[in-house]
Amino acid sequence: MLTLILVLFGLGSLALGKTVHYDWTITWVTAAPDGFSRPVIGINGQWPCPQVDVDVGDRLVFDIHNDLGNQSTSLHWHGIHQKGSTDMDGASGTGQCPIPPGSSFTYDFIVDQAGTYWYHSHNLGQYPDGLWGPLIVHDPNPPFTFDEEITLTLSDWYHEQMPDLIHTYQSYSGEAADGSPTPSGGALMNSGKNISIHVKPNKTYFIHVICPGNYPGHAWLFDQHPMTTVEVDGVYVDPVSQGTQQVRIAPGQRQGVLIHTKNDTSTNYAIFDTMDVNMLFINKGELPPAGYNTNVTGWLVYDEEEPLPPPVVLYELGNSDFYDDINYVPLDKEPVLGPVDHQIIMETSSANISGVSRFIINNSTYLGQNVPTLYSALTVGDNYSSNPLVYGQVNPYVIKYNDVVEIVINNLNGNLHPWHLHGHQFQVLERTLPNTGAFPGTYSNYSNTPVRRDTVMLQPNAYAVIRFRADNPGIWLFHCHIEFHVMSGFSATIIEAPEQLIASNLTIPQDHLAACKAYPMQTSGNAAGNMQNPLNLNGSNTMISTNDYGAAYPPTAP
């Protein structure tokens, strides 16, 4: 159900926006996107989940009802900064409690960023079971012209459900430290195989490409239809004609591209997508299983009466065959931020801890706590909110308001990892080639107007340097966007300007607190729920569960 109400509010200057109201029931649906029938998580009996189309400046209100019965849930609005609404970010354990079966929960926020986004469950490894959809924020005055818009999603798929996959991965019988399961259903395009996208001749299409994948990155092309990139992760960039170079996208990333269709309608053309074989197999020292297909094909259809051509054939591709996304230039030419007020160096790698495959940041694996981190920040008091100890083992990093923050991510692991920051787009100053080692302490040449986005793919045994200004008080996750890795502790928590956050008098809505009571989960105090002495962490979670079934309800892990 969708309701529209016009309202007035400020976005720098007074603007006319509308309230867009959705009423969503999250429940099980049976689907077979690759021919294998299985339960998936849908919305209002629909799967794939619906696309949300709104205009920049709109207020979005989502009334969510969890009718799953056997799983908790949440929704995160990926790429939306949530300025002034950190409690609406949707990450369970960070900005809210999981929404248990039978509970209702309202998200209410303003979208003041145009571009390509998506929503997805951010609850205990759940979204690869289907709970995600595109979120397109339309710009009334885009800096380029086009005739029509298309959405293209590129993802991986599993015949097994995530709770069982997570349990295997996070148990003593789990695979080795980089043993993320291979997608048994292969690749999907718009949540299906062999899809057709109908196009008209001599038109310019603005295509919103989204990678809601769980594990590998993707590379795609439109046969004989050159692409021009105009947007990455909601940031307009100087138009780049990709020419003969391929384009790739990481889990969590989005890309806006323009294509111009042909005048002649007598031929249809293939859309080619392939999952990253290096991530899936080669970097783990494996070969693809016999007969395993990493590709999926769709078609640009000019005429349904004409045949669909075979997919294009691509031979071995290396890094030089792809356009390096660090070279995109923001259209607004925002200069590189500096000087740096706060540098954080993260040594990231995998480890076997107590017989379980985990990922670590500076030798610490993320463990969810008794109280959502935001609720701890709001209740431990001014004297303690800036002390990272009160938040427990969530890999907390406290940063001050308006500081220029630089994060150096040293990927000491032998595979690629897409890192996503909530609450911000960041500048990417450096992202080195595979096997170039850790940050040496000095910078290479970087652009004076570096690309800005919210998700960056790190190469194996390499590093990246990112910067952002801490102008959005809140509690924001920074994590690898491979869902298996999130569940194995590959997250950090940015505690941004907690003093200003408290001074904002943010009030947690009653239905959010009611969800905590029903789950149940505590809503005040430090990580252990201790209000009397916030530095007393007795009772906080320090143990890795070997009985973790993800979002299964009642919960099986702390």
Side-chain angles (χ1 to χ4, degrees):
M1 181 179 295
L2 170 64
T3 306
L4 301 181
I5 305 171
L6 292 180
V7 295
L8 289 172
F9 59 88
L11 280 175
S13 59
L14 196 64
L16 182 65
K18 60 185 181 294
T19 294
V20 186
H21 194 164
Y22 288 87
D23 189 73
W24 282 356
T25 297
I26 297 174
T27 190
W28 291 104
V29 180
T30 299
D34 65 336
F36 179 89
S37 182
R38 55 153 289 184
V40 301
I41 301 176
I43 292 174
N44 294 345
Q46 173 187 343
W47 192 87
C49 296
Q51 176 167 309
V52 174
D53 285 276
V54 294
D55 297 318
V56 66
D58 284 350
R59 176 186 174 194
L60 276 62
V61 180
F62 293 87
D63 291 328
I64 305 299
H65 315 283
N66 182 359
D67 198 30
L68 291 172
N70 62 352
Q71 289 194 19
S72 59
T73 195
S74 78
L75 286 178
H76 167 60
W77 317 94
H78 184 111
I80 302 300
H81 294 167
Q82 299 289 1
K83 284 207 169 186
S85 52
T86 185
D87 55 326
M88 300 295 166
D89 188 52
S92 291
T94 301
Q96 66 170 81
C97 299
I99 307 168
S103 289
S104 296
F105 195 101
T106 297
Y107 295 98
D108 185 344
F109 56 93
I110 291 170
V111 286
D112 57 0
Q113 312 153 235
T116 306
Y117 305 95
W118 61 300
Y119 65 88
H120 62 84
S121 170
H122 211 301
N123 181 63
L124 302 171
Q126 184 178 63
Y127 87 77
D129 278 336
L131 187 48
W132 59 264
L135 170 56
I136 308 301
V137 184
H138 299 279
D139 189 340
N141 298 296
F144 44 83
T145 60
F146 57 90
D147 298 299
E148 297 184 26
E149 296 177 76
I150 293 170
T151 299
L152 180 69
T153 64
L154 307 173
S155 57
D156 50 339
W157 189 244
Y158 300 77
H159 294 164
E160 308 83 2
Q161 293 185 47
M162 284 299 289
D164 293 327
L165 289 170
I166 290 165
H167 182 256
T168 299
Y169 187 52
Q170 290 296 282
S171 69
Y172 294 137
S173 62
E175 300 179 63
D178 197 22
S180 306
T182 299
S184 50
L188 298 182
M189 184 181 294
N190 282 359
S191 298
K193 306 270 192 182
N194 302 315
I195 67 154
S196 293
I197 296 176
H198 291 82
V199 293
K200 301 170 185 175
N202 198 30
K203 298 288 185 183
T204 297
Y205 285 88
F206 180 27
I207 303 180
H208 303 277
V209 184
I210 304 171
C211 183
N214 177 22
Y215 180 17
H218 290 249
W220 85 96
L221 62 82
F222 302 97
D223 188 26
Q224 300 181 48
H225 288 69
M227 288 182 288
T228 298
T229 296
V230 293
E231 178 224 341
V232 295
D233 290 2
V235 177
Y236 292 133
V237 296
D238 287 346
V240 174
S241 176
Q242 305 299 163
T244 59
Q245 284 193 302
Q246 308 306 316
V247 183
R248 55 186 167 189
I249 193 168
Q253 288 185 332
R254 294 88 61 210
Q255 193 148 333
V257 301
L258 301 176
I259 67 169
H260 192 81
T261 55
K262 300 179 182 298
N263 288 324
D264 182 4
T265 62
S266 63
T267 304
N268 300 316
Y269 296 87
I271 309 168
F272 172 85
D273 171 53
T274 184
M275 298 185 294
D276 190 333
V277 68
N278 291 318
M279 286 186 74
L280 287 172
F281 304 110
I282 306 304
N283 290 343
K284 299 193 298 184
E286 302 173 6
L287 293 175
Y292 187 81
N293 187 6
T294 60
N295 304 337
V296 66
T297 304
W299 286 273
L300 294 175
V301 176
Y302 285 80
D303 187 341
E304 289 184 337
E305 301 300 320
E306 298 295 334
L308 299 176
V312 295
V313 176
L314 294 181
Y315 297 96
E316 185 175 347
L317 296 172
N319 273 307
S320 61
D321 296 302
F322 293 93
Y323 185 83
D324 189 345
D325 67 332
I326 200 172
N327 293 328
Y328 292 118
V329 177
L331 197 62
D332 61 12
K333 304 298 188 297
E334 179 185 74
V336 63
L337 295 171
V340 173
D341 299 300
H342 188 166
Q343 185 190 60
I344 300 168
I345 297 179
M346 295 185 179
E347 307 284 347
T348 67
S349 60
S350 56
N352 188 291
I353 303 176
S354 302
V356 178
S357 299
R358 300 292 293 183
F359 280 89
I360 56 176
I361 301 172
N362 295 338
N363 293 315
S364 173
T365 191
Y366 179 103
L367 295 172
Q369 298 300 312
N370 300 345
V371 180
T373 308
L374 171 63
Y375 297 3
S376 289
L378 294 174
T379 59
V380 293
D382 290 349
N383 293 335
Y384 295 99
S385 63
S386 293
N387 188 332
L389 296 178
V390 305
Y391 299 107
Q393 199 172 323
V394 295
N395 292 332
Y397 294 87
V398 179
I399 59 177
K400 295 180 180 178
Y401 183 69
N402 217 39
D403 272 2
V404 172
V405 179
E406 178 176 274
I407 301 180
V408 176
I409 317 153
N410 287 320
N411 179 20
L412 307 181
N413 183 251
N415 215 334
L416 295 94
H417 296 278
W419 280 89
H420 170 60
L421 177 62
H422 293 218
H424 289 275
Q425 291 154 340
F426 47 74
Q427 296 179 335
V428 185
L429 278 68
E430 294 189 67
R431 195 268 311 280
T432 55
L433 293 173
N435 301 312
T436 50
F439 180 60
T442 57
Y443 305 98
S444 302
N445 292 329
Y446 54 77
S447 170
N448 291 324
T449 54
V451 66
R452 195 168 68 249
R453 61 187 317 160
D454 57 51
T455 307
V456 61
M457 180 72 100
L458 263 75
Q459 299 280 7
N461 298 309
Y463 71 89
V465 179
I466 67 172
R467 288 183 189 175
F468 64 95
R469 185 173 294 278
D471 57 2
N472 190 14
I475 309 300
W476 311 113
L477 281 180
F478 182 50
H479 62 92
C480 173
H481 216 283
I482 296 171
E483 202 71 346
F484 294 119
H485 297 176
V486 172
M487 291 302 295
S488 56
F490 220 13
S491 298
T493 308
I494 306 299
I495 315 294
E496 182 170 346
E499 296 90 348
Q500 284 75 14
L501 177 62
I502 294 170
S504 72
N505 295 316
L506 177 69
T507 301
I508 303 300
Q510 284 301 310
D511 62 324
H512 291 209
L513 297 175
C516 295
K517 183 177 181 180
Y519 185 70
M521 191 172 182
Q522 294 171 261
T523 57
S524 61
N526 65 9
N530 190 329
M531 283 288 292
Q532 281 67 42
N533 179 6
L535 295 181
N536 180 355
L537 273 294
N538 289 336
S540 66
N541 184 23
T542 60
M543 299 296 293
I544 296 168
S545 172
T546 58
N547 191 40
D548 192 347
Y549 282 90
Y553 191 86
T556 58

